[in-house]
Every structure is written in structure tokens, then in C-alpha cells.
Amino acid sequence: MRTIRSVADLLPAEVDWVMRRSSQHRTGGATGEIRPRTIVGLAFLEASLRTRTGFAAAAVRLGATPIEVLSVRSGPATKPESIGDTVRTLAGYSDVLVVRAGEPLTVPDGVNVPVLNGGDRGPEAEHPSQALIDLFALQQLPVQFDALTIALCGDLRMRAARSLLSLMCERPPKRLILITDHALTDGFSVPPRLQGVSEYRTLDELDDVDALYVVGIPYGALDAAGRTRLRVTTEHLDRLPDHAGVFSPLPVIDEVDRGVLSHPNVRMFEQSDDGLFVRMALLELLLGAGPRV
Ligand code: CP
């Protein structure tokens, strides 16, 4: 049974289909494509706001019913049940699963429904649904994707950034600007297919940037001076061209100044809102809709 752990588990034609389908849902022009009484299992064993409630809302909008597991079963006198057994059990009651395991995603034997990684952990961690949401947001800009100059700012080793970079390998932008700190480069390398379009810069060099994507920085990854150097301010955003958009997988805690959220170029919450339509399309894909490939 199909598992989408990584962006690489999606065919380019499927990514294109999800983008088209998301647009149809956004404009209200799509009719439901899933069987009645479909159940969407959500195993979120690590905190999530957007991914968990976004997939629950997407299920309801499609006419399906979400069922959720938010922790492994445990009690004062028992050892916790394993994550594998928890996922296997939920799979038995569901037609499709979205799993945030809190560790590298592995699908246990006996799971006979499609599984989507809802953002896992580890050196190869990915967040494929977030990357599709990001691509959809970037496609709303008034510049063709392959003509965009996209800047990524923050800890580029985060799962959302890894998945977005992986997605860009199949569809490179014109320029990819990387804004980070040397303390955050251990374990990061630009994917070979993007090296020809990439360059490192600082936050003061945004004049030609069409899209600024703010990646989270985990607590403890950077000292206070480093966090301040990478904090996006309205002065930085005032350097962007008028049409530019500022995006993020969210949450942002201190990666941006609070005033930034009301800046006219900031689209972070619109990006999050549109995530509903992308998640609807992804659930349909997992449940058997999609392009003939
Ligand atoms: N972007 C994202 O994954 O947010 P949550 O952790 O709230 O799901």
C-alpha cells in the first residue's frame, strides 16, 4: 500500500494534479471524489496545529470523517503501547492515514491503507504536504514559477525546508537565495540539481526577491545574536519588490518581528488558509483520484 514519506514519493504529474485540484477546491468548482463514509485516520503523536486540524477540516469538507489519536496508550501501571502498534490499530479503522510519528516515519506490517507523512523527525525528516502547500502559495504570485527568485531564510535543515527544496529539484526557480547562519549549516547541503541556481546572501539583500520563505529556527540551535541576525523585520521587507510575497510553514515565534505579520507583502496566514484546499486534494489523491500515469 502506498506511503508518501517524502516529496520524492510523488510523481511530477501528481504534484501538478494536486495544484490544479487545489485551485478547483479554492474556487468552489470541484465536486467530491471520495466514497461515502470514508474515514481519515490522524495519528499525531507530536504537537501539531495546522497539519492536524487542516487534515481534519479537509476530511470534513470532502464529506469524510476524521478520527484522531494524539498519544500512544499508556497509564501509570503500564508501559506505553508502541507507535507501530498504534498506527497499525488506527489503520484498521481508516481508509487513509496521516501520521506525525515524532520520529522517522516507518509503516508497520499489516497497514493496508495509504499513509501520508504529516511531518516526521530525524536527519532525513520531511513534510511533503507542507511543501505542496508552499508550492501552491508560490504559484499565486504574479510571476511564473521558473522565473521566480526565491529566498529561504532560517534553519534550512528543517523538514519543511528539506521537502520544499526537494520539490524545487523537479521544478527549479530562476534563482534560489539561501540566508542562514554558519552554525546551522552542519548537515545541510544544497541539492545538486539546485546548485547552479543557488547563492548565499544576507537579509539585507532582498531587492530582486519575489518570494521570501521564513523557515523556523529551533530553540537552542542558535545563540541570541544569531537569532537576531536572522530575524525578519519590516525594514527588510520594505526592500522587497511590490509584488513579492513573504511565506512560512508557520509557526513563527521570534523568527520575525511581530509587526511583520501585518506588512502588506506577508501572505503567511493566506498560505495556511489555502492549505485546506491542498490537503483536500492530497486526501483525494491518496484515496484513488488523480492523474492517469
Ligand atoms: N506547518 C506545520 O506543520 O504546522 P503544525 O506543526 O502546526 O502542523
Side-chain angles (χ1 to χ4, degrees):
M1 194 47 77
R2 184 168 195 189
T3 298
I4 298 175
R5 195 204 70 77
S6 149
V7 160
D9 295 319
L10 287 161
L11 297 168
E14 291 179 317
V15 173
D16 290 337
W17 183 88
V18 168
M19 293 299 107
R20 283 196 303 277
R21 188 74 180 158
S22 305
S23 290
Q24 290 170 355
H25 284 305
R26 190 176 190 240
T27 56
T31 51
E33 288 264 349
I34 62 168
R35 282 189 300 134
R37 296 193 295 280
T38 293
I39 293 177
V40 176
L42 303 174
F44 278 77
L45 307 173
E46 181 185 76
S48 166
L49 171 59
R50 283 145 284 268
T51 313
R52 178 167 75 86
T53 59
F55 274 109
V60 171
R61 290 281 190 222
L62 289 168
T65 301
I67 55 174
E68 292 190 324
V69 173
L70 303 182
S71 60
V72 295
R73 183 182 181 281
S74 65
T78 54
K79 282 180 74 172
E81 193 160 359
S82 73
I83 292 175
D85 287 358
T86 304
V87 170
R88 166 65 189 84
T89 302
L90 186 63
Y93 306 139
S94 307
D95 298 295
V96 58
L97 286 185
V98 184
V99 179
R100 180 173 288 188
E103 61 180 35
L105 177 69
T106 54
V107 178
D109 289 344
V111 170
N112 292 321
V113 298
V115 177
L116 172 66
N117 178 7
D120 65 348
R121 290 267 166 205
E124 304 300 325
E126 286 226 24
H127 198 348
S129 61
Q130 184 62 52
L132 293 172
I133 291 165
D134 299 339
L135 178 62
F136 187 76
L138 291 164
Q139 287 187 348
Q140 308 312 309
L141 289 167
V143 180
Q144 287 285 324
F145 192 86
D146 61 3
L148 286 174
T149 295
I150 300 175
L152 267 55
C153 174
D155 190 341
L156 308 177
R157 303 168 299 181
M158 298 291 278
R159 60 193 177 199
R162 182 175 296 106
S163 285
L164 182 57
L165 288 167
S166 173
L167 199 53
M168 284 195 233
C169 289
E170 283 298 329
R171 50 192 84 217
K174 187 175 88 175
R175 297 295 304 158
L176 177 62
I177 311 300
L178 305 169
I179 302 170
T180 189
D181 188 285
H182 63 85
L184 302 176
T185 51
D186 223 24
F188 174 76
S189 58
V190 181
R193 291 179 75 172
L194 293 173
Q195 284 173 4
V197 299
S198 300
E199 63 183 274
Y200 284 90
R201 288 194 197 165
T202 71
L203 265 175
D204 294 320
E205 301 165 284
L206 298 177
D207 309 51
D208 59 342
V209 165
D210 302 296
L212 172 63
Y213 183 89
V214 180
V215 188
I217 304 171
Y219 277 119
L222 205 52
D223 61 20
R227 291 191 87 89
T228 302
R229 271 196 302 279
L230 287 182
R231 184 168 303 135
V232 178
T233 67
T234 49
E235 287 71 34
H236 295 131
L237 300 192
D238 287 342
R239 298 199 177 102
L240 291 166
D242 287 347
H243 69 269
V246 182
F247 305 96
S248 168
L250 294 175
V252 283
I253 311 297
D254 65 351
E255 291 86 352
V256 302
D257 274 350
R258 288 314 288 177
V260 157
L261 295 178
S262 53
H263 192 280
N265 293 84
V266 172
R267 310 264 194 277
M268 295 177 189
F269 284 98
E270 289 84 351
Q271 174 188 5
S272 169
D273 294 344
D274 285 346
L276 173 69
F277 308 117
V278 180
R279 293 183 182 106
M280 289 169 74
L282 254 174
L283 287 177
E284 290 176 301
L285 181 78
L286 284 160
L287 288 162
R292 293 195 184 283
V293 288

